[in-house]
Amino acid sequence: NAALLPALLARFAGLSEALRTWWLERTLPAVVGAWGASELRVLVAEAAWMDGPYDVEAVLRIIVLVYAAHQADTAADAVDALDALTATLVARVRAGSWDGRFVLPALGCVLRGLREDADAFVGGADGLLARLVQATYENDEGVVGTDTGTGTLPRPAPCNRLSMQDTLLRLLGTPGIQPAALFVGLHRLQGVSVRAQTSAIQACFGVPDAEAMLVSGLNALVDAPAWPPVLGRSLLLALPHLRSASALSTPFMLGLMHRLLARHVWELPRIWEGWLRLCRALSPASVPLLLQLPPEQLRATLFGSGAPARDLRGPLRDYLYNQPPSMRARFSAVLRDLER
């Protein structure tokens, strides 16, 4: 009976390791699988069991098992009960009142239970994906966050924290969620630190078929009407993963850089810095792109104070030396500046 959950969970904490394993792998699936709509309704009505001082592993296993056992149940009562449980979980994630340890494994279940467009949730329209990233990466010092309008969640204890990559794999197994949409959604998060956002984006590189996800996702980001501030950083982070997977990675990245130049990427300092670092990483193949800059911007770029600019002077000079006389004459002023 679901009403006995608090008592069962209280007893579970005192079991030996062998008995805990047996209970989680044998007893609990059988019990949850036998529940009907009435037990599910009790599970929702007595939702306080999620917040009790119980073993986190057991609570999470119960949540996952409930969805696994009853997701295909078409009986009206079971569907209504499962929807009510989903609403309870979503409300806790949105409100930031849920312990961060529960957010990661539950979110995949929540998305499987939602009868709405999954891409809207991945895109961060209601903040669920942002909550997940906050719960995973924010408060690295282990300080409990307070809700000051940013919705910061307490950082879960390391021994109970699931990796973001594992969570992404759960999400990618959710019907309706496309890998590229998840990758793009992580770039559009609001209310999370750059460090947390970058860590979540990096976790994408370890998922199966990451190359296809990166190609599709980066194309979508570059063609978007507005670029996320972390785009330049993501291009750099993606480069070694594309290089190791395909010989076409350099032409693909050069194409992205060309499209960024066409939209005056130098007017956005954070993304422009990433572009220059990517240009240095792909040198000498990338240096002809510099000649597409307006003359004033090219001079400011080459003779600025940053290391990427200094490192590009020599390759650009060598490139121009090897061009036909007409090309060298066209950029004679640039050559003179580079030879000083």
Side-chain angles (χ1 to χ4, degrees), residues 134-135 137-146 152-158:
Q134 286 174 334
Y137 294 110
E138 300 285 13
N139 294 333
D140 283 344
E141 294 79 18
V143 179
V144 174
T146 56
T152 303
L153 294 177
R155 179 176 183 266

Side-chain angles (χ1 to χ4, degrees), residues 183-226:
F183 182 73
V184 171
L186 289 170
H187 284 77
R188 293 176 177 163
L189 295 181
Q190 300 293 322
V192 299
S193 68
V194 173
R195 179 182 179 186
Q197 188 176 17
T198 303
S199 297
I201 291 168
Q202 282 183 284
C204 289
F205 301 149
V207 303
D209 201 16
E211 182 188 13
M213 175 198 68
L214 290 173
V215 169
S216 179
L218 290 173
N219 271 319
L221 288 167
V222 169
D223 290 338

